Amino acid sequence: MSMLPKMFLAVALTSGIATAASAAGTNEPAGIETAKLMSSAEIYRLYNQNSWMWKAGAGYFSTKARRFTAWSRENGSPSFGMGRWFITESGKLCFNADWHAKTGTATAITCFSHRKKGGLIYQKREPDGQWYVFKSAPAQATDEFAKLRRGDYVSSQLGGIEMSVSKTR
């Protein structure tokens, strides 16, 4: 597979993650200019041992070796990702994964910046996303934060997705 299709594959596979970021528009939320970076410990507590439920899939942030696993059926196409998640000193959660689909495999690093102000948490997909309220104060059912669930909601789907992807190769 040439480099250009791999890049498109990686972009397509991660495009469904945190769709609220793309829907946020160009206006930054009130308060973002004075919000502080979240610490590594705060971000760790937010994601560790949680699954992030997406529109057509989920990603799991395991404690063991900081393993990241995910599955997706974005646009009806099955795919899965396996790699590691990490937190930067500048308040970013990142996951580096090899994404597998019927069209091939591509590596992608996906990062989200985090800031907080009081009980509010802001998030932005890097490098070109827009800031949006990730968690309101108090938290709302419509917050992206509400899509974090304690436990592994990926493994039960992963085997079937892997078989579906490998059958067509």
Side-chain angles (χ1 to χ4, degrees):
M1 177 180 248
S2 74
M3 193 55 130
L4 191 57
K6 279 187 179 181
M7 288 183 348
F8 285 126
L9 173 66
V11 169
L13 291 174
T14 59
S15 66
I17 301 169
T19 55
S22 62
T26 57
N27 296 330
E28 290 190 340
I32 189 64
E33 63 282 344
T34 57
K36 307 249 187 275
L37 290 178
M38 287 183 69
S39 72
S40 296
E42 290 171 319
I43 295 172
Y44 182 82
R45 283 191 301 271
L46 195 60
Y47 291 95
N48 181 50
Q49 294 296 100
N50 283 329
S51 293
W52 192 351
M53 310 305 289
W54 305 323
K55 183 179 178 182
Y60 177 59
F61 302 88
S62 174
T63 297
K64 189 174 183 177
R66 294 261 181 116
R67 187 165 188 236
F68 173 77
T69 52
W71 66 271
S72 174
R73 289 193 186 275
E74 187 75 22
N75 299 321
S77 299
S79 62
F80 66 95
M82 295 184 153
R84 300 273 182 254
W85 64 283
F86 58 96
I87 301 166
T88 71
E89 290 181 20
S90 60
K92 292 179 190 172
L93 163 78
C94 299
F95 40 96
N96 182 0
D98 291 329
W99 290 90
H100 306 267
K102 293 177 182 180
T103 55
T105 301
T107 301
I109 298 176
T110 306
C111 295
F112 294 88
S113 287
H114 295 79
R115 291 186 187 173
K116 67 177 183 170
K117 183 174 184 177
L120 282 171
I121 298 176
Y122 300 95
Q123 186 184 69
K124 163 178 129 159
R125 182 163 177 175
E126 294 294 348
D128 299 322
Q130 298 292 318
W131 286 107
Y132 59 96
V133 174
F134 180 75
K135 180 183 177 194
S136 303
Q140 304 292 313
T142 55
D143 290 344
E144 190 69 20
F145 170 80
K147 296 177 184 176
L148 292 177
R149 291 194 189 155
R150 190 79 178 149
D152 181 357
Y153 286 82
V154 171
S155 293
S156 63
Q157 297 288 322
L158 200 55
I161 297 283
E162 283 182 273
M163 287 181 58
S164 173
V165 168
S166 65
K167 280 182 184 178
T168 58
R169 286 187 169 177

